[in-house]
Amino acid sequence: MIVNLMRRASFSAAHNYWLAEHSEDENRRAFGVWAARKPHGHNYLVEVTVSGDVDLNTGMVVNITDVNRALKRWVIDVLDGRYLNEEVSYFRRNAPALENIALFIWEALANSLPSGANLTKTKLWEMDTLWTELYKESDGAMTASLTRSYDFSASHRLHSLHLSDDENREIFGKCNNPNGHGHNYTVSVSVAGDPDSKTGMIFPLDELDKIVEEEVLMPFDHKHLNLDTPEFATINPTSEMLAVVIWQKLARRLPTSGGTRLHSVVVSETARNSFEYRG
Ligand SMILES: [Zn+2]
Ligand SMILES: [Zn+2]
């Protein structure tokens, strides 16, 4: 009986994106708008997942108090309140991008967890709209992903051209209102791949922002999806189809296989439901 067990902890730290051995131009090229000589700070939130067989004597995989103790000793006490670039030796060699901080946490914990606890995932948030996940696939391979979430507001009418008016009313109810209704949408875009050895980033964040701005936010924000966008002129704009259409639009700008690739698109119409498409 394999059970996954999650534990969260938080820490505050400062960092900056600047490689001293590189010129100003090289730093601007590597880090884009995030290049800065002076540090800034974040309240980080980390969630570690450990997996293991339930011990029938105790009813536990492992004592979660021991997981928390290792997390505190090897991660929180080392990172909390620090200027990562200068005060944590690991980040003198590795740029303190979110992906590398997650890797640091992985390496710090992998061999210090109590026996029986197998580290399978670390998830690290820099803010509500930016997080990274590092996890072990079932075949043992490691995958790293970076997710950025974006908001836009749009109206739509759920109405399928393949159904009669009666059927549309029956299936979509008030969402079939002829004049539409609106949502504040959230779109979370994940890219997976190996962090760049110099910048520590899987994909340059300002480039991802630019692509999403051009492919998603500009065309959809403050629009009536059915009436104002060619994408949904004939497609029923459900959240499922929105996830698929956004994936297809992003896939024209990002690879979908190989090294750095588009990994997942999640669309939320309300906080209560979300729809994920992975191509
Ligand atoms: Zn930062
Ligand atoms: Zn709706």
Side-chain angles (χ1 to χ4, degrees), residues 188-193 208 246-265 277-279:
S188 300
V189 177
S190 296
V191 286
L208 184 63
I246 290 172
W247 171 283
Q248 289 168 343
K249 297 191 79 186
L250 295 178
R252 275 185 238 135
R253 310 277 302 267
L254 293 162
T256 54
S257 62
T260 298
R261 62 204 180 269
L262 184 58
H263 178 62
S264 128
V265 169
Y277 185 62
R278 289 196 176 188

Side-chain angles (χ1 to χ4, degrees), residues 182-186 239 267-275:
H183 296 287
N184 294 322
Y185 287 96
T186 303
S239 292
V267 171
S268 297
E269 214 173 58
T270 72
R272 290 184 299 277
N273 49 36
S274 52
F275 300 82

